[in-house]
Amino acid sequence: MATKDLSEYDTSKVPSAEGMRFGIVVSEWNQEITGALAEGAIRTLLKHGIKKEDIKVIYVPGSFELPLGGQFLAESDELDAIILLGCVIQGETRHFDFICLGVTQGTVELNLKYNKPFIFGLLTTENLEQAKARSGGRHGNKGDEAAVTAIKMASLKKDLRK
Ligand code: DLZ
């Protein structure tokens, strides 16, 4: 993934994800953006052989709720990796910093608590244009990248167990 435009990533370098199961948590804030991220993530998982019924998608009100949504998923189902998708756009208040910090810390804790990949798919941008550029625009779709990261990490864990 050495490129910024993820439509150019080398699919042959992505390990097989056959038989794996994935969860996706999508924040409803900035839904135009997060919906596009989710579409990208799902499309990428399907492209790499994951069955539709093996992708479980849930929605949470805002990005701050992403880690707890991830925990709900991890507790409810046997999933190989969970992708957290949200978009925080910098406003005039410090809300941006607090939400980003909460999601970042929460995601790190989930990874270590469950010994399982929880992928940080949070866009943190200055404005809507930057978010659009990263959710299917000129900087690709970060949902695609999150899905590839999920496959790579789940597969790494599986390989080390063999
Ligand atoms: C409150 C809030 C604000 C101001 N901005 C965003 C945002 O840009 N992106 C986002 O995903 N969520 C935002 N939220 C909602 C919080 O994430 C959270 O849902 C509420 O603070 C309730 O916990």
Side-chain angles (χ1 to χ4, degrees):
M1 307 295 283
T3 170
K4 277 187 181 173
D5 185 347
L6 295 165
S7 55
E8 288 175 12
Y9 78 90
D10 185 354
T11 49
S12 69
K13 294 213 169 112
V14 179
S16 165
E18 209 186 315
M20 288 188 181
R21 306 186 67 241
F22 292 85
I24 304 179
V25 188
V26 187
S27 160
E28 289 170 346
W29 258 78
N30 299 314
Q31 199 157 21
E32 177 193 355
I33 304 297
T34 60
L37 294 175
E39 273 175 34
I42 293 167
R43 191 176 53 236
T44 301
L45 291 176
L46 294 173
K47 188 164 91 185
H48 288 283
I50 292 122
K51 292 190 191 128
K52 204 174 172 190
E53 60 267 29
D54 289 332
I55 304 171
K56 189 165 181 179
V57 183
I58 63 164
Y59 295 85
V60 293
S63 293
F64 191 78
E65 285 73 39
L66 286 170
L68 184 58
Q71 178 156 309
F72 287 164
L73 265 187
E75 294 283 338
S76 73
D77 212 334
E78 269 305 314
L79 299 165
D80 292 285
I82 294 170
I83 298 166
L84 309 179
L85 298 174
C87 171
V88 193
I89 297 177
Q90 190 135 31
E92 289 175 359
T93 69
R94 294 197 60 206
H95 234 100
F96 177 88
D97 301 317
F98 295 128
I99 295 171
C100 294
L101 189 66
V103 182
T104 309
Q105 282 182 347
T107 306
V108 172
E109 283 171 25
L110 286 173
N111 274 279
L112 302 179
K113 176 178 170 184
Y114 289 96
N115 191 32
K116 180 177 286 210
F118 287 77
I119 309 304
F120 184 78
L122 183 69
L123 291 184
T124 58
T125 63
E126 286 166 17
N127 53 50
L128 188 61
E129 282 61 44
Q130 288 181 350
K132 283 183 180 169
R134 289 159 179 78
S135 55
R138 66 192 169 88
H139 288 308
N141 187 327
K142 296 292 169 190
D144 296 355
E145 181 177 6
V148 172
T149 307
I151 295 170
K152 284 185 169 178
M153 287 304 291
S155 152
L156 178 62
K157 183 176 176 186
K158 202 171 157 190
D159 287 350
L160 290 171
R161 283 202 165 159
K162 278 180 190 161

Coordinates of all heavy atoms in Angstrom, one line a residue, residues 84-159:
L84 N -13.5 -0.2 11.6 CA -14.3 0.9 12.1 C -14.2 2.1 11.1 O -13.1 2.5 10.8 CB -13.7 1.3 13.5 CG -13.5 0.2 14.5 CD1 -12.8 0.8 15.8 CD2 -14.8 -0.5 14.8
L85 N -15.4 2.6 10.7 CA -15.4 3.6 9.7 C -16.1 4.8 10.1 O -17.3 4.8 10.5 CB -16.1 3.1 8.4 CG -15.4 1.9 7.7 CD1 -16.3 1.4 6.5 CD2 -14.0 2.2 7.2
G86 N -15.4 6.0 10.1 CA -16.1 7.2 10.5 C -15.4 8.4 9.8 O -14.4 8.3 9.1
C87 N -16.0 9.6 10.1 CA -15.4 10.8 9.5 C -15.6 11.9 10.4 O -16.8 12.3 10.8 CB -16.1 11.1 8.1 SG -15.6 12.7 7.5
V88 N -14.5 12.5 10.9 CA -14.6 13.7 11.8 C -14.1 14.9 11.0 O -12.9 14.8 10.5 CB -13.8 13.5 13.1 CG1 -14.2 14.5 14.1 CG2 -14.1 12.1 13.7
I89 N -14.9 15.9 10.9 CA -14.5 17.1 10.2 C -14.2 18.2 11.2 O -15.1 18.5 12.1 CB -15.5 17.5 9.1 CG1 -15.6 16.4 8.1 CG2 -15.1 18.8 8.5 CD1 -16.7 16.6 7.0
Q90 N -13.0 18.8 11.1 CA -12.6 19.8 12.0 C -13.6 21.0 12.0 O -13.9 21.6 11.0 CB -11.2 20.3 11.7 CG -10.6 21.2 12.8 CD -9.2 20.8 13.0 OE1 -8.5 20.4 12.1 NE2 -8.8 21.0 14.2
G91 N -14.1 21.3 13.2 CA -15.0 22.5 13.3 C -14.4 23.6 14.1 O -13.2 23.7 14.2
E92 N -15.2 24.4 14.7 CA -14.7 25.6 15.4 C -14.4 25.2 16.9 O -13.8 26.0 17.6 CB -15.6 26.7 15.3 CG -15.6 27.3 13.9 CD -16.7 28.4 13.7 OE1 -17.4 28.7 14.7 OE2 -16.7 29.0 12.6
T93 N -15.0 24.1 17.3 CA -14.8 23.7 18.7 C -13.7 22.6 18.8 O -13.3 22.1 17.8 CB -16.1 23.2 19.3 OG1 -16.4 21.9 18.7 CG2 -17.2 24.1 19.1
R94 N -13.4 22.2 20.1 CA -12.4 21.2 20.3 C -13.0 19.8 20.2 O -12.3 18.8 20.5 CB -11.6 21.5 21.6 CG -10.8 22.7 21.5 CD -9.8 22.8 22.6 NE -8.9 21.7 22.6 CZ -8.2 21.2 23.6 NH1 -8.4 21.7 24.8 NH2 -7.4 20.2 23.5
H95 N -14.2 19.7 19.9 CA -14.9 18.4 19.7 C -14.1 17.5 18.9 O -13.9 16.3 19.2 CB -16.3 18.6 19.1 CG -17.4 18.0 19.8 ND1 -18.2 18.8 20.6 CD2 -17.8 16.8 20.0 CE1 -19.1 18.0 21.2 NE2 -18.9 16.8 20.8
F96 N -13.6 18.0 17.8 CA -12.7 17.2 16.8 C -11.6 16.5 17.6 O -11.5 15.3 17.4 CB -12.2 18.2 15.8 CG -11.2 17.6 14.8 CD1 -11.7 17.0 13.6 CD2 -9.9 17.5 15.0 CE1 -10.9 16.5 12.7 CE2 -9.0 17.0 14.1 CZ -9.5 16.5 12.9
D97 N -10.9 17.2 18.4 CA -9.7 16.6 19.1 C -10.2 15.5 20.0 O -9.6 14.4 20.1 CB -8.9 17.6 19.9 CG -8.4 18.7 19.0 OD1 -7.9 18.4 17.9 OD2 -8.6 19.9 19.4
F98 N -11.3 15.8 20.8 CA -11.7 14.8 21.8 C -12.2 13.5 21.1 O -12.0 12.4 21.6 CB -12.8 15.4 22.7 CG -12.2 16.6 23.5 CD1 -12.9 17.8 23.5 CD2 -11.1 16.4 24.3 CE1 -12.4 18.8 24.3 CE2 -10.6 17.4 25.0 CZ -11.2 18.7 25.0
I99 N -13.0 13.7 20.0 CA -13.5 12.5 19.3 C -12.4 11.7 18.8 O -12.3 10.5 18.9 CB -14.5 12.9 18.2 CG1 -15.8 13.6 18.8 CG2 -15.0 11.7 17.4 CD1 -16.7 14.2 17.8
C100 N -11.4 12.4 18.1 CA -10.3 11.7 17.5 C -9.5 10.9 18.5 O -9.1 9.7 18.3 CB -9.4 12.6 16.7 SG -10.2 13.4 15.3
L101 N -9.3 11.6 19.6 CA -8.5 10.9 20.7 C -9.2 9.7 21.3 O -8.7 8.6 21.4 CB -8.3 12.0 21.8 CG -7.3 11.5 23.0 CD1 -5.9 11.4 22.4 CD2 -7.4 12.6 24.1
G102 N -10.6 9.9 21.5 CA -11.4 8.8 22.0 C -11.3 7.6 21.1 O -11.2 6.4 21.5
V103 N -11.5 7.8 19.8 CA -11.6 6.7 18.8 C -10.2 6.0 18.7 O -10.1 4.8 18.7 CB -12.0 7.2 17.4 CG1 -12.1 6.0 16.4 CG2 -13.4 7.9 17.5
T104 N -9.2 6.9 18.7 CA -7.8 6.3 18.6 C -7.5 5.4 19.8 O -7.1 4.3 19.6 CB -6.8 7.5 18.5 OG1 -7.2 8.4 17.4 CG2 -5.4 6.9 18.2
Q105 N -7.7 6.0 21.0 CA -7.3 5.2 22.2 C -8.2 4.0 22.3 O -7.8 2.9 22.6 CB -7.5 6.0 23.4 CG -6.4 7.0 23.6 CD -6.5 7.8 24.9 OE1 -7.6 7.8 25.5 NE2 -5.5 8.5 25.3
G106 N -9.5 4.1 22.0 CA -10.5 3.0 22.0 C -10.1 1.9 21.1 O -10.2 0.7 21.4
T107 N -9.6 2.3 19.9 CA -9.3 1.3 18.9 C -8.0 0.5 19.3 O -7.9 -0.7 19.2 CB -9.1 1.9 17.5 OG1 -10.2 2.7 17.2 CG2 -8.8 0.9 16.4
V108 N -7.0 1.2 19.8 CA -5.8 0.6 20.3 C -6.2 -0.5 21.4 O -5.7 -1.6 21.4 CB -4.8 1.6 20.9 CG1 -3.6 0.9 21.6 CG2 -4.3 2.5 19.8
E109 N -7.0 0.0 22.3 CA -7.4 -0.9 23.4 C -8.1 -2.2 22.9 O -7.9 -3.3 23.4 CB -8.3 -0.2 24.5 CG -7.5 0.8 25.3 CD -8.4 1.7 26.2 OE1 -9.5 1.4 26.5 OE2 -7.9 2.8 26.5
L110 N -9.0 -2.0 21.9 CA -9.8 -3.1 21.4 C -8.8 -4.1 20.8 O -8.9 -5.4 21.0 CB -10.8 -2.7 20.4 CG -12.0 -2.0 20.9 CD1 -12.8 -1.4 19.7 CD2 -12.9 -2.9 21.7
N111 N -7.9 -3.6 20.0 CA -6.9 -4.5 19.3 C -6.2 -5.4 20.4 O -6.0 -6.6 20.2 CB -5.8 -3.7 18.6 CG -6.2 -3.3 17.2 OD1 -6.1 -4.1 16.3 ND2 -6.7 -2.1 17.0
L112 N -5.8 -4.8 21.5 CA -5.0 -5.5 22.4 C -5.9 -6.4 23.4 O -5.5 -7.5 23.7 CB -4.1 -4.6 23.3 CG -3.2 -3.7 22.4 CD1 -2.4 -2.8 23.2 CD2 -2.2 -4.6 21.5
K113 N -7.1 -5.9 23.7 CA -8.0 -6.6 24.6 C -8.4 -7.9 23.9 O -8.5 -9.0 24.5 CB -9.2 -5.8 24.9 CG -10.3 -6.5 25.7 CD -11.4 -5.5 26.0 CE -12.6 -6.3 26.6 NZ -13.8 -5.4 26.9
Y114 N -8.8 -7.9 22.6 CA -9.3 -9.0 21.9 C -8.2 -9.8 21.1 O -8.5 -10.8 20.6 CB -10.5 -8.7 21.0 CG -11.7 -8.3 21.8 CD1 -12.0 -6.9 22.1 CD2 -12.6 -9.2 22.3 CE1 -13.1 -6.6 22.8 CE2 -13.7 -8.9 23.0 CZ -14.0 -7.6 23.2 OH -15.1 -7.2 24.0
N115 N -7.0 -9.3 21.1 CA -5.9 -9.9 20.3 C -6.5 -10.1 18.9 O -6.4 -11.2 18.3 CB -5.5 -11.2 20.9 CG -4.2 -11.7 20.3 OD1 -3.4 -10.9 19.8 ND2 -4.0 -13.0 20.2
K116 N -7.0 -9.1 18.3 CA -7.8 -9.2 17.0 C -7.6 -7.9 16.3 O -7.6 -6.9 17.0 CB -9.2 -9.5 17.4 CG -10.2 -9.7 16.2 CD -11.5 -10.1 16.7 CE -11.6 -11.5 17.2 NZ -12.9 -12.2 17.1
P117 N -7.6 -7.9 15.0 CA -7.5 -6.6 14.3 C -8.8 -5.8 14.3 O -9.8 -6.3 13.9 CB -7.1 -6.9 12.9 CG -6.8 -8.4 12.9 CD -7.5 -9.0 14.0
F118 N -8.7 -4.6 14.9 CA -9.8 -3.6 14.8 C -9.1 -2.5 13.9 O -8.2 -1.8 14.4 CB -10.2 -3.1 16.1 CG -11.0 -4.1 16.9 CD1 -10.4 -5.1 17.6 CD2 -12.4 -3.9 17.0 CE1 -11.1 -6.0 18.3 CE2 -13.1 -4.9 17.8 CZ -12.5 -5.9 18.4
I119 N -9.6 -2.3 12.7 CA -9.0 -1.4 11.8 C -9.5 0.1 11.9 O -10.7 0.3 11.9 CB -9.1 -1.9 10.3 CG1 -8.7 -3.4 10.2 CG2 -8.3 -1.0 9.4 CD1 -7.3 -3.7 10.7
F120 N -8.5 1.0 12.0 CA -8.8 2.4 12.2 C -9.1 3.1 10.9 O -8.3 3.5 10.2 CB -7.6 3.0 12.9 CG -7.7 4.5 13.3 CD1 -8.4 4.9 14.4 CD2 -7.2 5.5 12.5 CE1 -8.5 6.2 14.7 CE2 -7.3 6.8 12.8 CZ -8.0 7.2 13.9
G121 N -10.4 3.1 10.6 CA -10.8 3.7 9.3 C -11.5 5.0 9.6 O -12.6 5.3 9.1
L122 N -10.9 5.9 10.3 CA -11.4 7.2 10.6 C -10.8 8.3 9.8 O -9.6 8.5 9.9 CB -11.2 7.5 12.1 CG -11.8 8.8 12.7 CD1 -13.4 8.7 12.7 CD2 -11.3 9.1 14.1
L123 N -11.6 9.0 9.0 CA -11.1 10.2 8.3 C -11.1 11.3 9.3 O -12.1 11.6 9.9 CB -12.0 10.5 7.1 CG -12.0 9.5 5.9 CD1 -12.8 10.1 4.8 CD2 -10.6 9.3 5.4
T124 N -10.0 12.0 9.3 CA -9.9 13.2 10.2 C -9.5 14.4 9.3 O -8.3 14.5 9.1 CB -8.9 13.0 11.4 OG1 -7.6 12.7 10.8 CG2 -9.3 11.8 12.2
T125 N -10.4 15.1 8.8 CA -10.1 16.1 7.8 C -10.5 17.5 8.2 O -11.2 17.7 9.2 CB -10.8 15.8 6.5 OG1 -12.2 15.9 6.7 CG2 -10.5 14.4 6.0
E126 N -9.9 18.5 7.5 CA -10.2 19.9 7.8 C -11.5 20.3 7.2 O -12.2 21.2 7.7 CB -9.1 20.8 7.2 CG -7.8 20.7 8.0 CD -6.6 21.3 7.2 OE1 -6.9 22.1 6.2 OE2 -5.5 21.0 7.6
N127 N -11.9 19.7 6.2 CA -13.2 20.1 5.5 C -13.8 18.9 4.7 O -13.2 17.9 4.6 CB -13.0 21.3 4.6 CG -11.8 21.0 3.6 OD1 -11.8 20.0 2.9 ND2 -10.9 21.9 3.6
L128 N -15.0 19.2 4.2 CA -15.8 18.1 3.5 C -15.1 17.7 2.2 O -15.0 16.5 1.8 CB -17.2 18.6 3.2 CG -18.2 17.7 2.6 CD1 -18.4 16.5 3.5 CD2 -19.5 18.3 2.3
E129 N -14.4 18.7 1.5 CA -13.7 18.4 0.3 C -12.6 17.3 0.5 O -12.5 16.4 -0.3 CB -13.1 19.7 -0.3 CG -14.1 20.6 -1.0 CD -15.2 21.1 -0.1 OE1 -14.9 21.5 1.1 OE2 -16.4 21.0 -0.5
Q130 N -11.9 17.5 1.5 CA -10.8 16.6 1.8 C -11.4 15.2 2.1 O -10.8 14.2 1.7 CB -10.0 17.0 3.1 CG -9.1 18.2 2.8 CD -8.3 18.6 4.0 OE1 -8.5 18.1 5.1 NE2 -7.3 19.5 3.8
A131 N -12.5 15.2 2.8 CA -13.2 13.9 3.1 C -13.7 13.2 1.8 O -13.5 12.0 1.7 CB -14.3 14.1 4.1
K132 N -14.2 14.0 0.9 CA -14.7 13.4 -0.3 C -13.6 12.9 -1.1 O -13.7 11.8 -1.8 CB -15.4 14.5 -1.1 CG -16.8 14.8 -0.7 CD -17.5 15.8 -1.6 CE -18.9 16.2 -1.1 NZ -19.5 17.3 -1.7
A133 N -12.4 13.6 -1.1 CA -11.3 13.1 -1.9 C -10.8 11.8 -1.4 O -10.1 11.1 -2.2 CB -10.2 14.2 -1.8
R134 N -11.1 11.5 -0.1 CA -10.5 10.2 0.5 C -11.6 9.1 0.6 O -11.4 8.1 1.2 CB -9.9 10.5 1.8 CG -8.6 11.3 1.7 CD -8.3 12.0 3.0 NE -7.0 12.7 2.8 CZ -6.9 13.9 2.2 NH1 -7.9 14.5 1.6 NH2 -5.7 14.5 2.1
S135 N -12.8 9.4 0.0 CA -13.9 8.4 0.1 C -14.4 8.1 -1.3 O -15.6 8.0 -1.5 CB -15.0 8.9 1.1 OG -15.4 10.2 0.6
G136 N -13.5 8.0 -2.2 CA -13.9 7.7 -3.6 C -13.5 8.8 -4.5 O -13.8 8.7 -5.7
G137 N -12.7 9.8 -4.1 CA -12.3 10.9 -4.9 C -10.8 10.7 -5.3 O -10.4 9.6 -5.5
R138 N -10.1 11.8 -5.5 CA -8.8 11.7 -6.1 C -7.7 11.1 -5.2 O -6.7 10.7 -5.6 CB -8.3 13.1 -6.6 CG -8.1 14.1 -5.5 CD -7.9 15.5 -6.1 NE -8.0 16.5 -5.1 CZ -6.9 16.9 -4.4 NH1 -5.8 16.4 -4.7 NH2 -7.0 17.7 -3.4
H139 N -8.0 10.9 -3.9 CA -7.1 10.2 -3.0 C -7.6 8.8 -2.8 O -7.2 8.1 -1.8 CB -6.9 10.9 -1.7 CG -6.1 12.2 -1.8 ND1 -4.8 12.2 -2.5 CD2 -6.3 13.4 -1.4 CE1 -4.4 13.4 -2.4 NE2 -5.2 14.2 -1.8
G140 N -8.4 8.2 -3.7 CA -8.9 6.9 -3.5 C -10.0 6.8 -2.5 O -10.7 7.7 -2.2
N141 N -10.1 5.6 -1.9 CA -11.2 5.3 -0.9 C -10.5 4.6 0.3 O -10.1 3.5 0.2 CB -12.3 4.5 -1.5 CG -13.5 4.4 -0.6 OD1 -13.3 4.3 0.6 ND2 -14.7 4.3 -1.1
K142 N -10.5 5.3 1.4 CA -9.9 4.8 2.6 C -10.6 3.5 3.1 O -10.1 2.8 3.9 CB -9.8 5.8 3.7 CG -8.9 7.0 3.4 CD -7.4 6.6 3.3 CE -6.6 7.7 2.7 NZ -5.2 7.3 2.3
G143 N -11.9 3.4 2.7 CA -12.6 2.1 3.0 C -11.9 0.9 2.4 O -11.8 -0.1 3.0
D144 N -11.4 1.1 1.1 CA -10.7 0.0 0.4 C -9.4 -0.3 1.3 O -9.1 -1.5 1.5 CB -10.2 0.5 -0.9 CG -11.3 0.8 -1.9 OD1 -12.5 0.6 -1.6 OD2 -11.0 1.3 -3.0
E145 N -8.7 0.7 1.7 CA -7.5 0.5 2.4 C -7.7 -0.2 3.7 O -7.0 -1.1 4.1 CB -6.8 1.9 2.7 CG -5.5 1.7 3.4 CD -4.8 3.0 3.6 OE1 -5.4 4.1 3.3 OE2 -3.7 3.0 4.1
A146 N -8.8 0.2 4.4 CA -9.2 -0.4 5.7 C -9.5 -1.9 5.5 O -9.0 -2.8 6.3 CB -10.4 0.3 6.3
A147 N -10.2 -2.2 4.4 CA -10.5 -3.7 4.1 C -9.2 -4.5 3.8 O -9.1 -5.6 4.3 CB -11.5 -3.7 2.9
V148 N -8.3 -3.9 3.0 CA -7.1 -4.6 2.7 C -6.3 -4.8 4.0 O -5.7 -5.9 4.3 CB -6.3 -3.9 1.7 CG1 -4.9 -4.5 1.5 CG2 -7.0 -3.9 0.3
T149 N -6.2 -3.8 4.8 CA -5.5 -3.9 6.1 C -6.1 -5.0 7.0 O -5.4 -5.8 7.6 CB -5.5 -2.6 6.9 OG1 -5.0 -1.5 6.0 CG2 -4.6 -2.6 8.1
A150 N -7.4 -5.1 7.0 CA -8.1 -6.1 7.8 C -7.8 -7.5 7.3 O -7.4 -8.4 8.1 CB -9.6 -5.9 7.7
I151 N -7.8 -7.7 6.0 CA -7.4 -9.0 5.4 C -6.0 -9.3 5.8 O -5.6 -10.4 6.2 CB -7.6 -9.0 3.9 CG1 -9.1 -8.8 3.5 CG2 -7.0 -10.3 3.3 CD1 -9.3 -8.6 2.0
K152 N -5.1 -8.4 5.6 CA -3.6 -8.6 5.9 C -3.4 -9.0 7.3 O -2.6 -9.9 7.7 CB -2.8 -7.4 5.5 CG -2.6 -7.2 4.0 CD -1.7 -6.1 3.8 CE -1.2 -6.0 2.3 NZ -0.3 -4.9 2.0
M153 N -4.0 -8.3 8.2 CA -3.8 -8.5 9.7 C -4.5 -9.9 10.1 O -3.9 -10.6 10.9 CB -4.3 -7.4 10.5 CG -3.5 -6.1 10.4 SD -1.8 -6.4 10.9 CE -1.9 -6.7 12.6
A154 N -5.7 -10.1 9.6 CA -6.3 -11.4 10.0 C -5.5 -12.6 9.4 O -5.3 -13.6 10.1 CB -7.7 -11.4 9.4
S155 N -5.0 -12.4 8.2 CA -4.2 -13.5 7.6 C -2.9 -13.7 8.4 O -2.4 -14.8 8.6 CB -4.0 -13.1 6.2 OG -2.9 -13.6 5.6
L156 N -2.3 -12.6 8.8 CA -1.0 -12.6 9.6 C -1.2 -13.5 10.9 O -0.5 -14.3 11.2 CB -0.5 -11.2 9.9 CG 0.7 -11.1 10.7 CD1 1.9 -11.7 10.0 CD2 1.0 -9.6 11.1
K157 N -2.3 -13.2 11.5 CA -2.6 -13.9 12.8 C -2.8 -15.4 12.5 O -2.3 -16.2 13.2 CB -3.9 -13.3 13.4 CG -4.2 -13.9 14.7 CD -5.4 -13.3 15.4 CE -5.8 -14.0 16.7 NZ -7.0 -13.5 17.3
K158 N -3.6 -15.7 11.4 CA -3.8 -17.1 11.1 C -2.5 -17.8 10.7 O -2.3 -18.9 11.2 CB -4.7 -17.1 9.8 CG -5.5 -18.3 9.6 CD -6.5 -18.1 8.5 CE -6.9 -19.4 7.8 NZ -7.7 -19.1 6.6
D159 N -1.6 -17.1 10.0 CA -0.4 -17.8 9.6 C 0.5 -18.1 10.8 O 1.2 -19.1 10.8 CB 0.4 -16.8 8.6 CG -0.2 -16.8 7.2 OD1 -1.1 -17.6 7.0 OD2 0.2 -15.9 6.4

